[in-house]
Structure formats: structure tokens, C-alpha cells
Amino acid sequence: KDMSASASALVAPSAVRGLASDRAVRRAGARRRCVAVAAAADAVKFYKYQGLGNDFVLVDNRDSSEIKLSSERCAQLCDRNFGIGADGVIFAMPPGLVQKDEDYSMRMYNSDGTEPEMCGNGIRCLANFVAKMDGADPKAYKVGTLAGLIQPEVRADGQVSVDMGEPTLDPPKVPCTFEATQDGAAVRAKMEVDGETWLVTAVSMGNPHCVTFGKEGECDEEGIKVDSFALSHYGPMFEKHPAFPAKTNTEFTEVVNRNYVKMHVWERGAGATLACGTGACATVVAAVLEGRTERKCTVELPGGPLEIEWRESDNRVIMTGPAELVFDGVVTV
């Protein structure tokens, strides 16, 4: 007992404090390692892309059939003040969504957390993204989407050309409640918005579009003067109009000449954006049906031009435009 007491007395108080401090440091280090491991397990690598200013967060999800981020988390990441900032989050998924011989498939959440069928600018960004991830030479891909099979081609000049398929014009399949007015399509159909009658043409490019060149009695050959148009006023009313039970994207359009139009878009689930690929395609289809343009046409959007051709030979719509990497990073789930 005396010896134990004497031994304890020989240990200086500073040494005891040192031992305690060492144990605390080791515990803290262990905790940091645990946190780091957990963070790594919950971290998702992302790549920010843009196509004419229509911007997206892209995630390589081809190693799992389960989407790595929830719709709520995607909406948070799209916030331009508290997140990364984007019009949507796109996932490169394993093949097999539409058919077995796909190269990969596409799923997406809009900035409000809703899931659209597909996105024209988005699929150009996705094709460029996957090509860069895989180190592939310029080539065409088969991509399964909720709108069906889409075939983008990454070109040597950096542009991406996309076979968007055939437009759907049968009103119930758009879907919309209009009666067909021209060869089975709703062309220049009357729609009441904000106490005024607008003339609209309904087109689906795998997702619903309402294309308008203006109000009844005012939509002459030139259509809407888009640069002075009150997009934020009319856009939400068109998007949620009861004539479109699944809501709609809306294209407000001005004809410059028969091969060139200007268009401002209000996207379903995203609002005003700088560009919309499916919207540009729908605009040219509607313009041809209304006799305003040729089948090959440049569509100028706030973010820049897209080249659109609605081929008469096979009824398919071809869209060509850029897709560029902005930056990359890591987010938590």
C-alpha cells in the first residue's frame, strides 16, 4: 500500500495531463476518421454542364439502378442561392429503360423536384458528359428515356446532334383537351388565358408543349415580339392551364423569316430558362404546321441558337447545338 502510494506520488501532475491529452487526441482522430469514412460513403461526384445557358447537374449513376439523390435533394441542389444552381439534375443510368441494346438511360429531376419525361438540352449535355467520362471518340448513342429511345450523336466539332424522334400531334396523346383542327392536330386552337383568347398549337416531343405566336387577331406573320414580352406574367398561367392536364411547357415565338425564329420559353417545373431543346423542336413543328417557316430552321433562344430540322422524309426531328462542362465537385446525399 505504501509502495503504491509512493509510486503514484512519483507521477508528476503534468505527465498525467499529458496522458489524458494523448487519449483525447486519439479519440478525436478516430472520430474524424469515422466521419470521413461516412462522408465518403454518402458523397456523390457531380459535373455541372450547360447547353445555351440551360444548366444541369450531372451524375454518373450507371453503377446502380437506384437513383443516388432524392427528388428533394435535387431541388435543394438546383437552388441558385443555397445550392449549386441548375435547371435540373440528370442521372446517367444503366441501360434497359426502353430496350435492351441501349448504351445507357436517362432520368432527371426538375428544379422543383418533379420528374419530366426527358429534356432536349439535357440529353445533349448527358451525351457529351458520358463521352468524356468514357474517353470515347465522337459517336452516336442509344439512350433510353421516359419519352422513349433518343439517339444523340457527339460530333468531332463538339456539337451534339440529337434524333428527337417523331412529334406527337394527336391531342389526347400530347396530352391536351383541344379538338383536332388540322389533319388530326390541334393547330391554332383557341385558349383563354387571363381573359384573352390566344391561338396555340399543341405538340409533344415526349413532353407536352404549347406553342403560341400570339393572341387572336394579333398573331400576324411575325408573331410575338419576344424581347418585350411579359414572360413571367403569362408563363405560369399557360403552364397550369386546365387544357393541359399534365401541365405544359410554353413557347412564345416571333418569326424573323422562314428560316429563323426567336423563342422565349416557360418550362414546366422550371419556369423561365435560357433554352429548351424539346421546346425548340416543338416550335419548328408548330411553325411548319401553321405555314410560318420551312422545315429547317434556326431557333434563337435567350442562351443562343439551336439548329432544328423536321425531316419530311421520315417525320423525325433533328436538333443540333452545344453542350459544355462548367465545373465539377462533390455533394453529400
Side-chain angles (χ1 to χ4, degrees):
K1 181 177 180 180
D2 291 340
M3 290 175 64
S4 176
S6 298
S8 296
L10 292 173
V11 180
S14 61
V16 174
R17 287 195 299 272
L19 291 171
S21 177
D22 288 344
R23 286 195 294 271
V25 169
R26 287 196 295 272
R27 285 196 297 271
R31 281 196 298 272
R32 283 195 296 271
R33 286 192 294 274
C34 290
V35 169
V37 170
D42 293 337
V44 173
K45 179 76 172 178
F46 75 87
Y47 298 79
K48 174 76 177 287
Y49 269 76
Q50 64 87 15
L52 300 181
N54 198 191
D55 56 344
F56 307 95
V57 172
L58 278 84
V59 175
D60 191 351
N61 209 125
R62 289 177 293 172
D63 60 349
S64 173
S65 60
E66 296 295 323
I67 295 178
K68 294 178 179 179
L69 297 171
S70 68
S71 60
E72 294 81 8
R73 183 61 173 140
C74 289
Q76 291 171 352
L77 294 176
C78 288
D79 190 286
R80 297 191 183 278
N81 296 110
F82 298 100
I84 298 167
D87 293 319
V89 180
I90 298 174
F91 301 87
M93 303 294 293
L97 183 63
V98 177
Q99 59 190 49
K100 292 181 180 179
D101 65 342
E102 296 168 5
D103 293 291
Y104 53 90
S105 62
M106 168 185 179
R107 297 283 298 277
M108 174 182 177
Y109 289 118
N110 286 321
S111 58
D112 67 352
T114 57
E115 184 173 12
E117 296 85 353
M118 66 89 63
C119 172
N121 279 325
I123 201 165
R124 289 203 322 276
C125 291
L126 180 63
N128 209 335
F129 165 64
V130 171
K132 288 183 183 299
M133 291 291 291
D134 295 348
D137 293 328
K139 60 176 291 188
Y141 293 92
K142 293 181 178 180
V143 183
T145 77
L146 296 180
L149 186 72
I150 305 294
Q151 300 182 68
E153 180 181 359
V154 180
R155 303 191 327 195
D157 63 0
Q159 297 280 97
V160 181
S161 184
V162 186
D163 181 346
M164 300 289 286
E166 299 183 47
T168 297
L169 301 174
D170 182 24
K173 295 180 180 178
V174 171
C176 65
T177 61
F178 301 122
E179 296 292 330
T181 60
Q182 177 181 310
D183 299 326
V187 180
R188 292 179 181 255
K190 294 182 179 182
M191 190 167 90
E192 296 297 318
V193 179
D194 200 26
E196 300 170 300
T197 301
W198 293 70
L199 298 184
V200 306
T201 295
V203 179
S204 173
M205 292 303 308
N207 53 356
H209 291 271
C210 173
V211 182
T212 181
F213 296 86
K215 302 170 188 174
E216 185 178 33
E218 298 180 14
C219 54
D220 56 16
E221 292 183 2
E222 293 184 358
I224 297 168
K225 297 297 184 183
V226 294
D227 291 335
S228 58
F229 181 70
L231 180 63
S232 61
H233 174 73
Y234 287 105
M237 291 186 279
F238 274 81
E239 177 188 3
K240 301 172 184 177
H241 197 282
F244 291 87
K247 299 184 180 180
T248 188
N249 305 281
T250 307
E251 289 73 36
F252 302 93
T253 310
E254 174 183 350
V255 178
V256 178
N257 59 53
R258 292 190 63 82
N259 297 103
Y260 199 101
V261 301
K262 296 171 71 174
M263 182 267 281
H264 287 191
V265 62
W266 185 272
E267 291 197 53
R268 179 185 60 167
T273 62
L274 294 179
C276 176
T278 56
C281 295
T283 295
V284 172
V285 170
V288 171
L289 291 173
E290 294 195 20
R292 296 176 183 271
T293 69
E294 303 299 329
R295 286 177 170 265
K296 191 171 185 179
C297 192
T298 298
V299 180
E300 180 188 323
L301 301 118
L306 285 172
E307 301 300 325
I308 307 296
E309 181 180 8
W310 183 19
R311 294 192 304 220
E312 192 168 11
S313 60
D314 58 7
N315 198 41
R316 303 181 77 84
V317 181
I318 309 301
M319 171 189 64
T320 303
E324 299 175 348
L325 174 66
V326 183
F327 61 87
D328 59 63
V330 177
V331 295
T332 57
V333 175

